[in-house]
Amino acid sequence: MRSAPLSPQSREDALEAMAGETLDILVIGGGVVGGGSALDAATRGLSVGLVEARDLASGTSSRSSKLMHGGLRYLEMLDFRLVAEALKERGLSLQRLAPHLVREVPFLYPLQHRGWERLYAGAGVGLYDAMSRASGYGHGVPLHRHLTRRGARRIAPSLRKDALVGALQYYDAQVDDARHTMFLSRTAAAYGAHVATRARVTSLVKEGGRVVGAEVHDLESGRTITVRARQVVNATGVWTDETQAFAGERGQFHVRSSKGVHLVVPRDRIRSETGLILRTEKSVLFVIPWGRHWIIGTTDTDWSLSKDHPAASRSDIDYLLDHVNKVLVEPLTHADVEGVFAGLRPLLHGEDAATSKLSREHAVGNAVPGLVVVAGGKYTTYRIMAKDVIDHAVSGLVGQLERRVPPCATEHVPLLGAEGFDAISHQRHLLARSSGLHEERITHLLGRYGSLIDEVLALVAADPDLGLPLDGAPDYLRAEVVYAASHEGARHLDDVLTRRTRISFEQFDRGTAAAPMVAELMGRVLSWDDAQRANEVEHYVKRVEAERESQTMPDDETADAARMGAPDVVPVSVRTGAR
């Protein structure tokens, strides 16, 4: 499959193409389901456009627990179908679709009761493994094992002796959600989809009671275009109800937002060779290995405030620290927290007051003719959601197309960077020698770009300075910033620091030290002048300050007010009215 860059020029070309033709499918929303839907439709031979109001994965899809898993707690709820479906999708991503982005991760489950709990939990994890193998895609994932207390503390010395009587260890998978979502849209573009970020739908176009397109406002230039389409897909997650409202009709179902907060701490703060999964009074708490860090989460509380920038409060952070400290020899403090991120889960509205009990399954329906809505679901099953919504849209194309539309093909469509990944991984020592980079650096790049690593290394070969570490964030190369702007659709500083890399939560300063260099490197690709570079850095620093302030507030309302003190960045040319 040929590589297709999400470059500044490709964005302009996409907007021009969408304004000049009637698409078969217009997808609204650049999250994991929107990107998956665009890829599904494009690989069926349909003409496709995807528009996203901000950046790819700027909502829920960059703020998950970064796991691709079946969901042990859903097994306990006896939701066998959801677990089986998710385990198959986990295996597909590990083995075929995205082996460069998805990898196995071990978890330790401490047992607190002798006898019955080992039998109960062991039976559940054993069934989990069996369902994984039965999916046909679980044979590469190690099976669970039983451990004594001594054996558990040997691989996780930070666990308090009185926190467990024994343990189980099992395996799941993790993913860099923001990069995976970006690769979905980029792969869709490689198959012919028109992809444009910073393109906000302001209204839906209706003719005779049918939705036939959308008015799209280009936030970069200030212009508005009309995009006509035979079917419009609403894949906007927690914004589903707002997008449905553009049609002037009440939707068939509604989405409720649940806030999930995660903390990031340095790897040396918890001595363990494995992740942890802990029971809480409401759900479960994960301690997830993430490079030189741990991700600790998550909370699960109702949220009705700003959906653009959900804020973590002091009480959220205290909740997570209190629960993880119950099992740690050396308790974590607020001073140990490098980063915090909060996201919103789109849950199908239920009757139960506790969001952890609302449905994680998805639904597809027609709000009005021509508009298909997909909502709910979980990250792992994005491909199934995309298949279902495009199947529904295709049924609405009957009589509008002269050809038969083939069924979903994405089970057999690897993402860009997946093809040849194993082979090129075996050559990492050769890549290190030819590029002059350390082999560990090559391993890092392979886990972010897969077989597209050659495109990044070509930048280093052309300008050796790009092979140097980034000031203020030495885990990343300068070339990665340039590549993010030239090939991965990054338009603003926040896009790179928060989603193309994860500097915003991996550094104690949240990326403020790296911001000036990142702005300078991005500016080379995006033709920023000094004023725009300064504007980008200023807005990013204000965002960090607002987030830090919100995290000292006692509750959601005060945290939200503090976070909203920092507006989104606006290009200088648009802000001043220049063209």
Side-chain angles (χ1 to χ4, degrees):
M1 183 60 207
R2 65 178 180 85
S3 172
L6 295 179
S7 64
Q9 185 59 53
S10 75
R11 178 182 179 277
E12 292 300 313
D13 293 344
L15 289 170
E16 184 177 345
M18 286 189 281
E21 65 178 276
T22 298
L23 302 170
D24 294 326
I25 304 285
L26 172 64
V27 178
I28 306 172
V32 68
V33 177
S37 298
L39 177 59
D40 187 296
T43 52
R44 299 190 197 207
L46 298 171
S47 61
V48 184
L50 182 151
V51 291
E52 160 57 42
R54 295 186 293 164
D55 182 31
L56 298 172
S58 58
T60 301
S61 298
S62 62
R63 308 179 195 189
S64 73
S65 295
K66 318 209 181 310
L67 295 175
M68 275 210 169
H69 61 142
L72 269 176
R73 74 184 181 100
Y74 301 115
L75 193 60
E76 191 171 30
M77 295 175 185
L78 305 182
D79 197 340
F80 300 112
R81 190 194 63 77
L82 177 62
V83 175
E85 186 177 75
L87 285 171
K88 176 184 176 181
E89 294 304 309
R90 181 192 74 175
L92 267 173
S93 291
L94 276 168
Q95 296 181 19
R96 179 188 298 164
L97 304 184
H100 54 314
L101 302 172
V102 183
R103 52 193 59 86
E104 297 158 6
V105 59
F107 286 102
L108 193 74
Y109 175 66
L111 300 171
Q112 297 178 320
H113 305 279
R114 297 186 185 279
W116 70 266
E117 189 181 16
R118 186 179 291 278
L119 292 173
Y120 177 75
V125 177
L127 179 58
Y128 196 68
D129 284 344
M131 293 173 73
S132 172
R133 294 293 174 95
S135 73
Y137 295 97
H139 291 280
V141 181
L143 297 176
H144 77 282
R145 59 175 179 153
H146 288 259
L147 297 167
T148 63
R149 176 164 59 190
R150 180 178 296 177
R153 295 187 74 232
R154 188 177 296 122
I155 62 175
S158 279
L159 284 177
R160 285 171 41 177
K161 188 175 180 179
D162 62 356
L164 71 166
V165 298
L168 297 171
Q169 187 180 46
Y170 75 100
Y171 283 78
D172 247 318
Q174 71 177 165
V175 62
D176 186 329
D177 49 4
R179 292 198 60 75
H180 177 260
T181 296
M182 178 274 297
F183 265 104
L184 280 169
S185 289
R186 190 173 168 191
T187 306
Y191 282 97
H194 308 301
V195 178
T197 59
R198 300 282 293 176
R200 183 185 299 277
V201 170
T202 56
S203 65
L204 295 174
V205 179
K206 294 178 71 176
E207 292 179 358
R210 180 183 184 86
V211 172
V212 295
E215 296 289 326
V216 178
H217 181 61
D218 179 0
L219 298 176
E220 299 291 280
S221 69
R223 63 179 169 164
T224 296
I225 62 172
T226 300
V227 180
R228 299 186 68 83
R230 296 179 178 89
Q231 291 285 304
V232 176
V233 171
N234 174 4
T236 54
V238 295
W239 292 272
T240 295
D241 292 1
E242 288 86 343
T243 308
Q244 281 187 150
F246 287 141
E249 302 284 345
R250 183 174 178 176
Q252 292 178 306
F253 40 79
H254 298 281
V255 170
R256 180 170 163 186
S257 298
S258 167
K259 184 178 70 167
V261 174
H262 297 79
L263 309 181
V264 182
V265 302
R267 192 66 178 263
D268 63 6
R269 300 303 197 272
I270 301 175
R271 291 176 297 127
S272 179
E273 300 169 14
T274 179
L276 305 174
I277 178 172
L278 311 171
R279 276 193 181 276
T280 70
E281 63 275 13
K282 295 181 181 179
S283 183
V284 295
L285 184 74
F286 287 102
V287 180
I288 307 163
W290 181 262
R292 296 191 303 106
H293 318 269
W294 295 100
I295 294 175
I296 301 170
T298 178
T299 61
D300 196 348
T301 55
D302 198 22
W303 180 263
S304 58
L305 301 168
S306 168
K307 294 178 180 178
D308 289 346
H309 304 291
S313 67
R314 175 86 180 202
S315 61
D316 292 323
I317 297 170
D318 287 342
Y319 171 88
L320 293 172
L321 290 177
D322 289 347
H323 278 77
V324 76
N325 283 339
K326 290 178 181 178
V327 303
L328 297 181
V329 172
E330 299 176 19
L332 299 173
T333 69
H334 284 266
D336 294 316
V337 177
E338 291 177 291
V340 181
F341 61 92
L344 300 177
R345 304 176 191 87
L347 304 179
L348 291 178
H349 205 309
E351 297 300 322
D352 197 296
T355 62
S356 61
K357 295 181 180 178
L358 292 182
S359 176
R360 295 307 304 273
E361 297 196 36
H362 66 277
V364 176
N366 277 98
V368 295
L371 177 64
V372 187
V373 182
V374 58
K378 60 199 294 280
Y379 194 100
T380 305
T381 55
Y382 80 89
R383 196 188 64 81
I384 301 298
M385 296 173 68
K387 171 187 177 298
D388 288 350
V389 73
I390 298 303
D391 281 347
H392 203 94
V394 166
S395 68
L397 291 174
V398 173
Q400 297 188 64
L401 298 178
E402 296 180 356
R403 64 188 185 282
R404 174 184 169 274
V405 178
C408 173
T410 54
E411 185 172 334
H412 304 283
V413 179
L415 302 190
L416 290 177
E419 291 186 1
F421 172 66
D422 287 342
I424 200 166
S425 293
H426 298 156
Q427 300 175 332
R428 68 188 66 196
H429 62 291
L430 300 176
L431 291 173
R433 187 185 309 161
S434 63
S435 66
L437 299 175
H438 193 280
E439 191 168 332
E440 285 299 313
R441 187 71 76 175
I442 296 297
T443 299
H444 159 88
L445 295 174
L446 284 167
R448 288 170 49 75
Y449 305 95
S451 55
L452 298 187
I453 188 175
D454 287 343
E455 296 181 352
V456 181
L457 295 180
L459 295 175
V460 176
D463 182 356
D465 282 350
L466 296 181
L468 297 175
L470 194 61
D471 290 354
D475 286 351
Y476 298 92
L477 296 181
R478 299 174 187 183
E480 296 184 76
V481 175
V482 173
Y483 189 81
S486 64
H487 285 71
E488 296 181 340
R491 300 288 305 175
H492 294 284
L493 194 58
D494 185 65
D495 301 346
V496 170
L497 291 172
T498 306
R499 288 173 289 276
R500 303 306 182 276
T501 71
R502 312 320 289 269
I503 293 169
S504 67
F505 64 67
E506 292 175 346
Q507 298 291 322
F508 275 106
D509 70 354
R510 313 288 172 93
T512 54
M517 175 171 278
V518 173
E520 192 277 325
L521 292 167
M522 292 184 71
R524 299 181 192 178
V525 179
L526 300 174
S527 302
W528 288 347
D529 57 19
D530 290 343
Q532 184 62 35
R533 286 190 180 93
N535 183 47
E536 294 282 339
V537 174
E538 178 187 0
H539 273 78
Y540 184 78
V541 170
K542 286 182 177 178
R543 173 208 137 156
V544 170
E545 291 173 347
E547 286 183 348
R548 285 189 183 279
E549 183 182 2
S550 72
Q551 291 155 19
T552 67
M553 296 297 166
D555 53 40
D556 285 349
E557 287 73 18
T558 53
D560 178 68
R563 176 59 185 88
M564 295 308 291
D568 287 340
V569 67
V570 178
V572 170
S573 60
V574 175
R575 190 180 64 197
T576 61
R579 291 292 183 267

